[in-house]
């Protein structure tokens, strides 16, 4: 309302509104507007809602007038008169006048109402003036009365509008209440709210829990009584008369001299014995607060103003005056004077017990606030009891009102307060799913279709559930319904869905097959008929043409034979005549030839010199043209400030030079033609020249292939020297012959001999076995061994063709992904594939294996030990015609030099392309609007593609040029060693449209590729990245054109330079001259799209129509572009742009994190000289720093932040600049490219650990010292012998041995060597709890504590969930860790024991990079920083730790702790 008054003058004048900050009721917080909230719009929506609710305009205006009056009532201040009365101030009188006008009353009545009160004694009315504090309290009571009656009127009106006359007892109501509240200071309001929650919580318990149990009883289900929270005692404490909180509060309010202190003293005296009543423990607060133990927890209530808040000050005088109001709405709300009676009147349509409520109200006279609240709550519960409620639990995610922020403690508290935890417990204890037995049979009979079901429904249901092997504890059958738990219901639904899906697929398959067969037979009959006629016609035409051609060929051939015969006869005759003269002219002919050869050499030298001089002259002309343009621009700019408006004046001031430059290319072409004519007496045609070029290029490619093949051949000269059998005998594991599990079972485990193992020659050939006992190659990581066996199963399924089509790509990607992530598995994967393609009886299966081998070679390289054996294996398959192309492809791929393996597994498009050994067809875009489709091998890097593109567009050098990945979110520089196939795989993971083939148009006559990747939302873009010398003039015309296109893109699309309108039009004229040549009248369509020539910033600053901009572009084209050739226009354009200081800079939009004098959003420009801070709008340079000022560059590992650390010359300079940008690594890489001294930029957030490089001898020495330390611990009797687990079930079931035998066995155990007693498993990582401590500890209590400490270590690592020293509400296990370390500090024996436990859990980890291992090392580091092992045991333990952990990079940070 107030916001509408500020925005709309008619509303402000109608309701006498002032700005929001002038009202006392709404200016307390100082916040008058919320973000994303339009108050004026909400006011209009409110008025529209009033119209929908049939509230007349007169009534709605009355509502707004009352609200305005309420705001003015809060501004009344009053002034004291003799301490016994008060009067209005001058400002108050103005406010009273406005209130009277808004309420339709006289100012005198309003003044009397706010300054006096009426006392009625025996029918006589006496006006008593208010004291100052009474007047101020009465002011708030008046405002409250007006506002509450207005609200009651609105609720009544809404109920009338939504109620129908058909059935007034049927309705849908919405009850929205506050949740349970417990603040630092809780008052009367919190008591009422929590009382409501207690009441509704009891109703909820009765409705949900008791009703659930009633259903179980009716169905005669066996269940244990469901316990739920009963809060009856708490409700009786609050409301049950005669001794309760609300009754005692009402009695104290009616007592003449009652105070808050007297009230709480009486309450402590009468209610202190109640179990839900809390007396403050602090005696100082005994007279200030009391507490109640609610169902959600205890709450302490501060009694300050409890009595005042409970008293409902009657406003009889206010309502008497309002009945005489001229405003209809004000007069109408007087019928809600008795708010409680009005509330009960609204519930007449519902059969509730109003007699008790009304009788209680009448008996007690004027009700208090608490009494009124209690009666309304009773009425609400009666209404709920007659309806069918549905509950919606709303949880507040956080207290800061921000999205995507969840506070765990707040959520858990709300769940506890709302009773949701009880609901979850009940659902887990009971059977939440109730299904009628008949419905169950109809729905799930299909799951037992092969079984004959009993006629009885209950027995049939039981038969189905038992046949599905469902545990009987998870379901029960009642009289009419089946009761299921969710653990049963969900699998049943899933099985039914799978069964129905399979049956539907079968039906669809049969029907579609029938339709397609019928359609195929009809089409086949038609096709055969058409083919017969067409083939006959075609063969007849073919015969006629061939017959005519044969006659022509015969005639020409016969003529040729005749001419050859004539030529031979003529040549014989000529030779006979020349033989006679040969001897005479022989000497003269010899001398003549020598002279001719000498003259020819001299002419050839002169021609070469002339060609070289002409080429040098042409380059000098191009260089002089660019220099002349720069000099003209420098002359136009002058020696002072840069004035871009004068930049192009030379275009109109030098007409003679324009005419001279116009003939530049013509003269150059004439000179080149003359040189070619001089050097080539018989110039060849264009077709012959092109044919020669193609032949030369083909010869060059063949020569390179021959050299590469020769190089590869040189790598492995003799493939027989690297037979796979040799590799298998050295590196393969031994596999038992019988792995099917059908051998003889024995109680004793023993190793199989070499005669029982599979021979190595068999292990390199194809096998039908779908599983293997262990990996082929020796693998150190047990998890990798398991993965190797899993990969073998997937490989066999894939090669046999057992996978579904949609599973093939997923399986191939998983196999290669495992090998990429785990280097130890790479050679294993290669060996498995090589084995299954060797002597495979099925060609189709072998082809699948070779396909996977090609994908593996493209994704990674084999290990050093396998490399030459793999090359030899591939060369041995060259003799097989079917395998040759796969083998050559793999050999070429693995011989390439790789910096690193691929990052991602192959994409679906790559898998499809490699299946046919085709490259990936990718589209690469240039900034001149063109694109090229290039075939990219899966192993090709960005550098390879860059060279291929340069060769395709005939670019001489790729220095400074780069490929970029551009998508809607950002653009990313593709490093030279990154694989293009990895980027395509990432597109497929991100579900980008560019990962699929898309068609495109081409103007090439050769046709070329019509479909390619990279045509969707992500693209590959070719552009200049590094400007080594921005002012340098390229000698390559292709490079000059590409730089011109990038300059146009920077000016028009990116708006990187501060060009004004005039300069933009002049540059656009040169761009138009390049595109269309000289200006041609009547072709206005060329200029109708100004966004292609003018920056968007200028178009927005100068709003004009496209026609007006087109006219300006045409005029500029005619004036400034006339007479310029294509090359001249490019030279002028690029030379002009080079004079901007930011030319050659790469722009990065960044946000500064912190406070400084510049805008937080800016552009970070990086070039050859340093980096600059550029204003986004004006493109002005705010600060410029050379690389000598830069100390280092840091890139945050987690957040998109890059930090530039500066060298500070004085304390006033800033030490570092922190910017937020998603292109953080591109910024650091570009700085490193320009400044090699900053190439080693760091990643913030990475732990910098010291790396230990140990030789094999050092490792063996350390291992021996570890064994010595372990033996010393055992020999000193400091370790407990492990429990003998070798006794099996046979030993325990036999009779007890004799005493002599027991003594003999005991001596044998004592004499066992150290390695037999303390096996490797004793010192290695374990997931199970300890049965006893590792070391010898005296005392059962200490032993239990030691076992709890190990259990706590398992919980900390994430293996166990509960137990140990775990504490409540300790999600991070901080308290548990503190307890463990405190135990170590208390007892030396526990400290030494815990260090042995840490040693055990960090030894022989299956996955050293797992989270479990990381958490164990973290606990170790934390323990080492607080307490170290002590005494003799601690010395040995420390000695073992120092030598056992030294090879590990994990613990480099713990060295200072041990050496202290």
């Amino acid at each position: 309302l107030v916001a509408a008054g500020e925005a709309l003058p008619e509303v402000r004048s109608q309701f006498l509104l002032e700005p929001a900050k002038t009202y006392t009721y709404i200016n307390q917080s100082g916040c008058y507007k919320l973000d994303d909230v339009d108050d004026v719009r909400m006011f209009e929506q409110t008025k529209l809602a009033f119209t929908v609710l049939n509230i007349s305009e007169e009534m709605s205006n009355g509502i707004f007038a009352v609200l305005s009056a309420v705001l003015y009532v809060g501004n009344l201040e009053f002034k004291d008169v003799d301490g016994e009365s008060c009067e209005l101030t001058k400002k108050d009188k103005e406010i009273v006048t406005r209130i009277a006008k808004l309420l339709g009353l006289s100012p005198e009545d309003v003044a009397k109402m706010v300054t006096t009160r009426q006392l009625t004694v025996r029918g006589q009315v006496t006006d008593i003036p208010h004291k100052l504090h009474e007047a101020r309290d009465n002011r708030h009571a008046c405002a409250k009365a007006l506002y509450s009656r207005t609200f009651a009127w609105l609720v009544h009106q809404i109920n009338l509008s939504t109620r129908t006359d058909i059935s007034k007892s049927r309705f849908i109501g919405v009850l929205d209440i506050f949740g349970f509240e417990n603040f630092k200071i809780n008052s009367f309001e919190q008591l009422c709210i929590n009382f409501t929650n207690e009441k509704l919580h009891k109703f909820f318990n009765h409705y949900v829990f008791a009703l659930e149990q009633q259903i179980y009883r009716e169905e005669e289900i066996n269940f244990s009584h469901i316990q739920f929270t009963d809060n009856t005692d708490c409700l009786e404490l609050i409301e049950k008369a005669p001794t309760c909180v609300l009754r005692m509060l009402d009695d104290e309010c009616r007592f003449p001299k009652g105070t808050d202190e007297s009230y709480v003293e009486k309450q402590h005296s009468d209610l202190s014995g109640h179990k839900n009543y809390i007396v403050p423990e602090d005696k100082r607060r005994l007279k200030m607060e009391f507490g109640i133990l609610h169902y959600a927890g205890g709450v302490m209530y501060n009694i300050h103003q409890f009595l005042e808040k409970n008293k409902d000050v009657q406003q009889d005088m206010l309502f008497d005056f309002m009945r005489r109001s001229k405003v209809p709405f004000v007069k109408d709300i007087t019928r809600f004077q008795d708010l409680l009676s009005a509330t009960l009147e609204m519930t007449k349509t519902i059969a509730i017990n109003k007699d008790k409520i009304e009788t209680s109200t009448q008996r007690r006279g004027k009700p208090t606030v608490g009494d009124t609240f209690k009666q309304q709550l009773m009425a609400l519960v009666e209404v709920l009891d007659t309806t069918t409620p549905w509950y919606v639990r709303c949880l507040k995610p956080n207290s800061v009102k921000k999205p995507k922020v969840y506070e765990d403690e707040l959520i858990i508290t709300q769940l506890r307060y709302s009773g949701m935890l009880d609901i979850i417990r009940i659902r887990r204890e009971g059977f939440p799913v109730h299904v009628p037995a008949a419905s169950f049979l109809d729905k799930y009979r299909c799951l037992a279709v092969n079984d004959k079901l009993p006629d009885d429904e209950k027995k049939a249901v039981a038969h189905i559930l038992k046949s599905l092997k469902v545990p009987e504890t998870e379901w029960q059958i009642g009289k009419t319904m089946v009761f299921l738990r969710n653990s049963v219901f969900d699998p049943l639904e899933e099985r039914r869905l799978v069964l129905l899906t399979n049956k539907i697929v079968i039906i669809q398959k049969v029907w579609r097959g029938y339709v397609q067969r019928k359609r195929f037979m009809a089409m086949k009959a038609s096709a055969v008929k058409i083919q017969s006629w067409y083939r006959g016609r075609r063969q007849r035409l073919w015969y006629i043409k061939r017959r005519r051609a044969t006659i022509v060929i015969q005639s020409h051939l016969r003529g040729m034979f005749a001419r050859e015969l004539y030529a031979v006869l003529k040549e014989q005759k000529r030779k006979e005549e020349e033989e006679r003269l040969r001897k005479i002219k022989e000497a003269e002919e010899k001398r003549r030839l020598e002279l001719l050869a000498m003259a020819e050499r001299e002419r050839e030298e002169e021609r070469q010199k002339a060609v070289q001089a002409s080429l040098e002259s042409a380059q000098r002309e191009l260089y002089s043209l660019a220099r002349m343009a720069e000099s003209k621009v420098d002359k136009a700019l002058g020696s002072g400030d840069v004035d871009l408006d004068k930049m192009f004046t030379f275009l109109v001031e030098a007409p003679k030079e324009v005419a001279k430059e116009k003939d530049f290319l013509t003269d150059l072409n004439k000179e080149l033609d003359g040189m070619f004519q001089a050097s080539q007496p018989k110039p060849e045609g264009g077709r012959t020249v092109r044919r020669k070029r193609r032949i030369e290029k083909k010869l060059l490619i063949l020569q390179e292939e021959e050299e590469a093949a020769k190089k590869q051949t040189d790598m492995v000269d003799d493939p027989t020297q690297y037979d796979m059998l040799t590799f298998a005998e050295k590196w393969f594991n031994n596999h038992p012959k019988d792995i099917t599990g059908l051998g003889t079972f024995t109680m004793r485990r023993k190793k199989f001999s070499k005669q029982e193992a599979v021979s190595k020659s068999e292990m390199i050939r194809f096998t039908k076995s779908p599983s293997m006992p262990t990996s082929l190659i020796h693998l150190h990581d047990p998890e990798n061994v398991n993965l190797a066996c899993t990969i073998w199963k997937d490989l066999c399924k894939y090669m046999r063709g057992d996978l579904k089509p949609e599973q093939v790509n997923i399986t191939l990607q998983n196999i290669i992904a495992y090998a990429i992530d785990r280097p130890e598995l790479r050679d294993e994967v290669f060996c498995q594939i090589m084995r299954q393609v060797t002597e495979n009886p099925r060609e189709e299966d072998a082809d699948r294996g070779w396909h996977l081998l090609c994908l593996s070679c493209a994704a990674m390289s084999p290990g050093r030990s396998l490399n030459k054996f793999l090359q030899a294996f591939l060369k041995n398959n060259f003799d097989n015609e079917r395998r040759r192309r796969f083998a050559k492809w793999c050999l070429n791929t693995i011989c390439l030099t790789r910096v690193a393996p691929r990052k991602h597994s192959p994409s679906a498009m790559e898998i499809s392309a490699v299946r046919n050994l085709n490259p990936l067809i990718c589209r690469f875009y240039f900034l001149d609007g063109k694109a090229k489709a290039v075939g990219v091998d899966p192993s090709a890097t960005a550098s390879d593609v860059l060279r291929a593109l340069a060769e395709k567009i005939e670019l001489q050098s790729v220095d400074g040029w780069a490929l970029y990945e551009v998508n809607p979110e950002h653009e990313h520089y593709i490093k030279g060693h990154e694989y293009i196939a990895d980027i395509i795989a990432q597109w497929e993971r991100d579900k980008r449209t560019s990962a699929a083939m898309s068609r495109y148009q081409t103007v090439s006559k050769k046709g070329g590729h019509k479909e390619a990747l990279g045509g969707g939302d992500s693209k590959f873009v070719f552009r200049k990245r590094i400007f080594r010398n921005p002012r340098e003039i390229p000698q390559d015309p292709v490079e000059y054109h590409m730089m011109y296109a990038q300059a146009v893109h920077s000016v028009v699309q990116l708006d990187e330079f501060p060009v004004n309108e005039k300069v933009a039009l002049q540059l656009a004229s040169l761009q138009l001259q390049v595109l269309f040549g000289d200006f041609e009248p009547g072709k206005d369509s060329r200029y109708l799209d100004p966004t292609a020539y003018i920056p968007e910033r200028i178009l927005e600053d100068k709003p004009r129509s496209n026609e007006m901009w087109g006219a300006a572009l045409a005029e500029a084209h005619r004036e400034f572009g006339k007479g310029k050739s294509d090359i001249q226009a490019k030279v002028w354009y690029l030379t002009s742009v080079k004079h901007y200081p930011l030319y050659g800079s790469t722009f990065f939009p960044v946000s500064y994190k912190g406070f400084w004098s510049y805008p937080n959003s800016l552009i970070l420009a990086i070039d050859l000289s340093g980096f600059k801070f550029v204003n986004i709008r004006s493109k002005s340079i705010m600060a410029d720093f050379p690389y000598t000022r830069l100390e280092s560059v840091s890139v945050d590992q987690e957040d998109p932040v890059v930090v530039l650390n500066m060298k500070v010359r004085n304390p006033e300079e800033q030490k570092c600049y922190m910017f937020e940008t998603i292109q953080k690594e591109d910024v650091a890489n570009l700085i490193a490219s320009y400044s090699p001294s900053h190439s080693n930029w760091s990643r913030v957030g990475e732990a910098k650990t010291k790396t230990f490089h140990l030789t094999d001898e050092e490792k063996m020495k350390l291992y021996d010292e570890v064994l010595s330390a372990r033996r010393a611990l055992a020999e000193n009797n400091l370790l407990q012998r492990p429990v003998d687990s070798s006794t099996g079930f046979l030993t325990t079931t036999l009779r007890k041995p004799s005493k002599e035998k027991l003594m003999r066995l005991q001596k044998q155990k004592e004499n066992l060597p150290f390695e037999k007693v303390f096996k490797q498993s004793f010192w290695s990582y374990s997931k199970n709890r300890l049965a006893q401590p590792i070391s010898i500890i005296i005392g059962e209590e200490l032993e239990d504590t030691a076992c709890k400490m190990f259990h706590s270590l398992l919980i900390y690592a994430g293996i166990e969930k509960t137990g140990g020293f775990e504490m409540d509400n300790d999600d991070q296990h901080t308290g548990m860790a503190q307890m463990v370390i405190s135990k170590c500090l208390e007892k030396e024996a526990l400290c030494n024991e815990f260090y042995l436990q840490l040693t055990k859990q960090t030894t022989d980890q299956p996955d050293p990079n797992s989270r479990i291992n990381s958490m164990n090392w973290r606990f170790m580091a934390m323990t080492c920083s607080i307490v170290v092992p002590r005494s003799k045991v601690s010395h040995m333990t420390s000695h073992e730790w120092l030598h056992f952990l030294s090879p590990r990079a994990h613990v480099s940070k713990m060295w200072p702790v041990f050496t202290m």
Side-chain angles (χ1 to χ4, degrees), residues 451 479 634 1264:
D451 300 338
K479 291 182 177 180
D634 293 337
D1264 293 339

Side-chain angles (χ1 to χ4, degrees), residues 294-336:
H294 294 280
Y295 74 93
V299 180
M300 301 303 297
Y301 297 99
N302 192 298
I303 63 169
H304 180 63
Q305 291 187 347
F306 243 59
L307 270 63
E308 189 65 30
K309 294 178 180 179
N310 190 44
K311 293 178 182 179
D312 190 7
V313 181
Q314 300 299 319
Q315 297 293 330
D316 297 337
M317 185 185 299
L318 171 63
F319 286 99
D320 290 341
F321 288 143
M322 288 169 59
R323 290 187 180 93
R324 300 195 296 268
S325 173
K326 299 176 182 178
V327 179
F329 176 75
V330 176
K331 185 182 297 184
D332 192 34
I333 63 175
T334 57
R335 57 193 175 98
F336 295 97

Side-chain angles (χ1 to χ4, degrees), residues 453-483:
L453 299 179
D455 296 333
D456 185 53
E457 291 183 349
K458 294 183 180 181
K459 294 181 179 179
V461 170
H463 179 79
I464 292 175
L465 292 174
K466 291 178 180 179
S467 65
L468 297 176
K469 297 181 180 180
V470 179
E472 296 185 2
T473 58
E474 303 298 311
W475 56 272
Q476 289 194 37
I477 302 176
K479 291 182 177 180
T480 60
M481 291 189 292
V482 182
F483 293 81

Side-chain angles (χ1 to χ4, degrees), residues 913-943:
V914 173
R915 184 175 287 109
N916 300 319
L917 300 183
N918 294 330
L920 293 168
I921 308 303
C922 300
R923 199 181 314 173
F924 297 87
Y925 291 85
F926 302 89
L927 294 182
D928 59 354
K930 298 179 181 179
K932 294 288 185 181
V934 177
V936 178
D937 288 332
S939 57
T941 61
S943 300

Side-chain angles (χ1 to χ4, degrees), residues 428-466:
R428 291 180 62 184
E429 293 178 357
F431 299 91
V433 181
H434 309 162
V435 183
S439 301
F440 185 91
L441 289 176
D442 292 341
K443 192 172 184 179
Y444 300 109
R445 185 186 297 272
C446 57
L447 299 179
V449 67
N450 296 327
D451 300 338
K452 183 178 181 181
L453 299 179
D455 296 333
D456 185 53
E457 291 183 349
K458 294 183 180 181
K459 294 181 179 179
V461 170
H463 179 79
I464 292 175
L465 292 174
K466 291 178 180 179

Side-chain angles (χ1 to χ4, degrees), residues 16 235-236 255 284 333 337 491 495 641-642 773 824 848 993 1004 1028 1061 1116 1262 1370 1436:
L16 308 178
L235 286 173
E236 291 178 352
F255 192 71
R284 295 172 297 178
I333 63 175
Q337 179 178 358
R495 289 186 180 183
D641 297 334
V642 178
E824 196 178 23
R848 296 190 188 97
T993 57
S1004 175
R1028 297 292 183 188
E1061 180 183 357
L1262 289 173
D1370 188 18
M1436 295 182 182

